[in-house]
Amino acid sequence: MTLITSVRGRIIYNSRGQSTIEVDISTKTHTGRAAAPSGASVGRYEAAAFPKGGARKSLDILEDNASKFIGIDSTDQKAIYEALKTIDSTDNYSVIGGSTAYAVSMASAQVAALTQDIPLYKSIHSKEHYKLPIPLGNILGGGAHAGHGAPDIQEILVFTLASRSIRDVIQTNIDVHKQLGVLLAERDITFTRGRSDEGGWAPNMNNEQALEISARACESLGYTLGKEVALGVDFASSTQYNQEQDRYIYDRAGFENSTGEQIEFVSDIIKRYKIKYVEDAVHEEAFKDMSILTSRFPDVLIVGDDLTVTNYTILQKAISDKSCNAAILKVNQAGSLYEAMQFADMATQNNIKLITSHRSGESNDSQIAHVGISTDSTLLKTGILGGERVAKLNELLRISGNDLIRGLGEL
Ligand code: PEP
Ligand code: MG
């Protein structure tokens, strides 16, 4: 019943208007569908989104090799991964493209769930009960996700600390985003209400002003930072890092940091704004520098994204260097769902908290909500506004009524 009978791919568009791959995988009775997301601040060691020749080439390779998936049990992600590897033996999917690896493996998980009439999260990882991850939302964007006047820092994020219902925590993120829009408009009558790739506001201001007004948005709603809600920052520091000069160059704000200065810069922001979530505070190969922050701030989620790139081997290095206490899980950084789950298992076994995450270029799919649940992720980083972001939040709301769900996870 769950054996794959057909594989069909097509090129569609993502939220940034770029081409991406969508795949339909069928069993005798059902069809699962998934489209790959894509990043703008891409880690050096993540899977290549496409081969040379782009989405068209990737699709041609899939079409030429579709027969390799026929007859595989759609519940068997390892077999899907092995079939992908017979087509592309590189370690970064540079032949077939990580986007196709993502879409094939996710569509297969989807059809496996549909055919068995179980939720996708259970099909990915079967256990008795599940908890929902807490949504982490982007309220203000800069860096690679916004135009030149916006801050160098890529993302200012918000999430709730006090345990409440999933609807409440989503609504709180929406309220903070909305309030920030009001404050930005009050501060600057020329503010266009422009938004970054992930739906956060993209104002014309520097890092400091952006952090200050984001904190004020939370406080003016009556929240105490670090109590009911907290801010997070994705520094996406590889965007600022200049390898030749070994310095972090903040073009827009007009300053540079040595490694030591970068660590103090981040530490100061954490303390002043009671930040509880810090992603890629240093560049993607600075494992030892990250470990300074991890030991300095044990109560803050010190998160690897470009640092760990959902790569099992790189995570092992981060664990042995004690570089982070949390890691981003982006299935398309790994390529296949099987490899992403290997990464998730390794993280869990080593007390590394997981943050399942969207990409800045997203599809309208909602499967990552299920990935977040099945991996026991602490947070689901998926934006606040924009149809492609809300799709994941709405899926959490739908799932929240399921018998297998036991409320929200703990931070
Ligand atoms: C990120 O850096 O966490 C992110 C979501 O951005 P991108 O998808 O551009 O890598
Ligand atoms: Mg990031």
Side-chain angles (χ1 to χ4, degrees):
M1 280 290 279
T2 47
L3 299 188
I4 293 173
T5 56
S6 84
V7 176
R8 290 190 49 209
R10 65 184 66 82
I11 295 174
I12 62 164
Y13 294 99
N14 71 15
S15 60
R16 250 198 299 264
Q18 298 164 327
S19 295
T20 191
I21 300 285
E22 180 175 80
V23 172
D24 291 355
I25 294 202
S26 302
T27 59
K28 230 179 204 169
T29 51
H30 293 80
T31 297
R33 173 173 290 170
S38 83
S41 60
V42 175
R44 186 178 296 177
Y45 301 107
E46 64 177 88
F50 296 110
K52 280 201 190 84
R56 183 67 253 169
K57 177 75 182 165
S58 192
L59 188 57
D60 288 347
I61 295 173
L62 177 64
E63 282 169 354
D64 290 348
N65 289 280
S67 62
K68 296 202 166 115
F69 299 98
I70 309 299
I72 291 180
D73 191 329
S74 61
T75 63
D76 188 350
Q77 282 295 325
K78 186 159 186 259
I80 299 285
Y81 160 73
E82 284 165 356
L84 284 164
K85 284 289 153 190
T86 65
I87 306 167
D88 183 344
S89 60
T90 64
D91 57 8
N92 70 343
Y93 290 104
S94 56
V95 172
I96 194 170
S99 298
T100 294
Y102 174 98
V104 166
S105 57
M106 200 62 95
S108 155
Q110 183 78 70
V111 75
L114 290 169
T115 307
Q116 297 172 96
D117 194 22
I118 57 174
L120 177 57
Y121 56 82
K122 190 168 174 67
S123 167
I124 294 173
H125 180 61
S126 186
K127 54 181 192 162
E128 218 173 316
H129 300 301
Y130 301 81
K131 291 199 165 169
L132 300 175
I134 297 167
L136 172 67
N138 186 328
I139 53 173
L140 197 152
H145 292 173
H148 209 72
D152 301 275
I153 287 178
Q154 184 177 284
E155 299 164 30
I156 300 181
L157 306 142
V158 69
F159 61 110
T160 56
L161 298 170
S163 149
R164 286 179 289 176
S165 73
I166 183 69
R167 189 174 297 280
D168 271 3
V169 299
I170 293 172
Q171 186 63 51
T172 302
N173 287 1
I174 292 171
D175 291 345
V176 173
H177 184 285
K178 191 170 172 196
Q179 177 67 359
L180 178 57
V182 170
L183 297 184
L184 288 167
E186 275 173 16
R187 177 186 177 278
D188 176 2
I189 52 159
T190 68
F191 178 54
T192 62
R193 302 180 71 81
R195 297 205 258 124
S196 69
D197 284 356
E198 295 178 349
W201 300 113
N204 190 350
M205 57 174 53
N206 64 29
N207 303 319
E208 206 54 62
Q209 292 163 330
L211 284 160
E212 193 275 326
I213 200 163
S214 297
R216 202 142 50 78
C218 298
E219 286 164 353
S220 62
L221 289 174
Y223 297 125
T224 304
L225 284 175
K227 199 166 168 215
E228 299 92 1
V229 302
L231 292 177
V233 177
D234 181 359
F235 287 87
S237 293
S238 292
T239 315
Q240 279 87 42
Y241 185 63
N242 179 308
Q243 199 165 0
E244 280 96 73
Q245 295 176 32
D246 189 23
R247 289 179 88 76
Y248 295 83
I249 300 180
Y250 288 82
D251 276 339
R252 302 174 188 182
F255 67 91
E256 293 179 18
N257 282 340
S258 65
T259 295
E261 287 165 346
Q262 176 71 6
I263 290 168
E264 295 317 313
F265 169 69
V266 170
S267 299
D268 181 57
I269 289 174
I270 293 175
K271 286 185 211 145
R272 273 197 293 138
Y273 298 102
K274 301 194 170 57
I275 305 283
K276 292 281 178 211
Y277 176 101
V278 175
E279 189 178 322
D280 284 343
V282 287
H283 73 83
E284 63 198 328
E285 283 167 290
F287 291 87
K288 289 273 189 292
D289 303 336
M290 276 280 280
S291 72
I292 297 173
L293 290 163
T294 304
S295 66
R296 196 179 279 184
F297 296 105
D299 299 334
V300 176
L301 291 168
I302 304 290
V303 186
D305 173 15
D306 293 344
L307 186 89
T308 38
V309 285
T310 318
N311 180 303
Y312 182 89
T313 312
I314 297 177
L315 181 62
Q316 281 177 314
K317 172 157 180 55
I319 290 167
S320 76
D321 285 353
K322 298 189 169 51
S323 304
C324 54
N325 55 32
I328 288 277
L329 177 72
K330 291 171 172 166
V331 177
N332 80 318
Q333 282 182 327
S336 73
L337 184 57
Y338 176 74
E339 290 157 291
M341 293 304 286
Q342 299 277 95
F343 176 93
D345 288 347
M346 156 81 94
T348 305
Q349 283 156 20
N350 288 278
N351 293 321
I352 303 285
K353 294 199 162 143
L354 286 165
I355 293 98
T356 295
S357 171
H358 63 169
R359 300 308 304 253
S360 50
E362 258 301 327
S363 74
N364 296 322
D365 292 352
S366 54
Q367 286 105 350
I368 64 161
H370 292 261
V371 172
I373 295 167
S374 63
T375 56
D376 250 334
S377 288
T378 305
L379 300 168
L380 180 69
K381 185 185 181 200
T382 185
I384 296 177
L385 289 194
E388 74 281 5
R389 316 288 154 189
V390 172
K392 284 77 167 162
L393 298 172
N394 283 342
E395 187 70 353
L396 288 182
L397 287 171
R398 286 183 202 107
I399 295 167
S400 65
N402 292 8
D403 291 346
L404 303 173
I405 301 292
R406 295 284 179 275
L408 281 173
E410 302 284 310
L411 277 162

